[in-house]
Amino acid sequence: MSGSWKTTSLGVPAVVAATVAGATVVPGVAYGVDGPADGLWAAATVEPGREGVLHVRGFEAEASGEGSVLTLSAPAGTRVTGAPFAGLGYRGAVTRGGGSGTYTFASGAAAGPVSGWKGRTFPFVVSVAPDAEPGTRLADCTLVLRDAKGTVRQRGTCAVTVGLPAPTLSGPASGVPVSASPRTSGTAYPGAQITVRDALEEEVCTDTAAPDGSWSCVPGLALPVGAGRLQATATKNGVSALSEQIDIMVGGSGAAQKDTVSDDGGGRIPA
């Protein structure tokens, strides 16, 4: 499944993408964009055993100055593995063991006339433990901005939610002709609820992933003859993930299709 990083920080997208190759974010969602009206904050959803990015925002004008330090303390069950933003006088670092990460504002010339922090975004890469339960919101993630003397200028919070690994939809094989009621199958996180939908997002069939992650189901209604498309959604504890879409070509007689009407979009419209 493809991911997309969305941020307004200075040059961060290219740096982050290179640093956290393999990190997964649900397409079209920019985690950490919506937050409190004031104060430091960041949020991300990260799959078990994977890395994600917390984009810290919410800096105030008076919280600035050369030598000031932003510190992110990792939430329970995670480690800080990177502070990839470098340039314009900011220096990132990660403590041994990954309990926290910092950015230090080291150049007064880069601050500009107002602030060295305001209006900017600073990414911290965090890894989530492989055994973390999807849907869990990990606690004790904190943010602190101190000036060069160590005085606290701003505090804030950050939220890491354990995401759900994307399911696979391995059967039927993409592009291979199938019957009007093909068995669909794949793998998913154990216990996840699986819903297979067609191109019009109509429900085709459902199942629950077994302890070994396997799942399979058969359409309740015959699929329309011709080209179509299927995709599986996994849901568990309030978080969801999508499989890749597969294209199918349904064959069969008119009698097998009497309860459905085909359309040009590859979906089904009940008669």
Side-chain angles (χ1 to χ4, degrees):
M1 181 173 67
S2 62
S4 61
W5 305 107
K6 296 185 179 180
T7 176
T8 57
S9 64
L10 304 177
V12 171
V15 177
V16 173
T19 304
V20 291
T24 300
V25 172
V26 176
V29 179
Y31 295 104
V33 171
D34 296 320
D38 52 24
L40 301 175
W41 58 274
T45 296
V46 187
E47 296 175 16
R50 303 294 293 273
E51 290 182 322
V53 183
L54 285 163
H55 298 288
V56 181
R57 299 171 170 82
F59 298 96
E60 298 172 356
E62 62 269 19
S64 63
E66 185 172 359
S68 53
V69 179
L70 168 67
T71 301
L72 181 147
S73 297
T78 73
R79 293 184 302 111
V80 180
T81 59
F85 180 46
L88 298 179
Y90 297 95
R91 183 177 65 250
V94 176
T95 59
R96 187 173 183 177
S100 64
T102 62
Y103 280 102
T104 301
F105 180 48
S107 173
V114 179
S115 170
W117 301 90
K118 187 178 181 181
R120 291 172 177 163
T121 301
F122 294 84
F124 289 91
V125 184
V126 295
S127 64
V128 171
D131 59 353
E133 179 69 12
T136 304
R137 181 163 174 167
L138 303 178
D140 303 323
C141 184
T142 60
L143 297 163
V144 180
L145 181 62
R146 294 180 171 87
D147 63 21
K149 296 181 179 179
T151 302
V152 174
R153 295 298 184 182
Q154 270 191 274
R155 294 184 184 274
T157 59
C158 38
V160 175
T161 301
V162 182
L164 186 65
T168 66
L169 178 52
S170 55
S174 183
V176 175
V178 297
S179 68
S181 297
R183 177 173 293 278
T184 60
S185 61
T187 59
Y189 192 90
Q193 301 299 307
I194 305 298
T195 302
V196 178
R197 293 184 172 86
D198 62 19
L200 296 181
E201 298 190 359
E202 294 178 353
E203 183 178 300
V204 171
C205 61
T206 63
D207 193 22
T208 300
D212 66 356
S214 63
W215 64 268
S216 67
C217 59
V218 176
L221 294 175
L223 300 177
V225 172
R229 192 162 58 247
L230 298 176
Q231 186 173 38
T233 301
T235 303
K236 184 177 176 66
N237 297 334
V239 290
S240 299
L242 297 172
S243 73
E244 293 186 356
Q245 297 180 345
I246 63 170
D247 295 317
I248 58 173
M249 179 60 68
V250 179
S253 65
Q257 305 301 318
K258 64 183 179 181
D259 57 350
T260 63
V261 176
S262 177
D263 71 358
D264 293 335
R268 301 176 301 150
I269 302 176

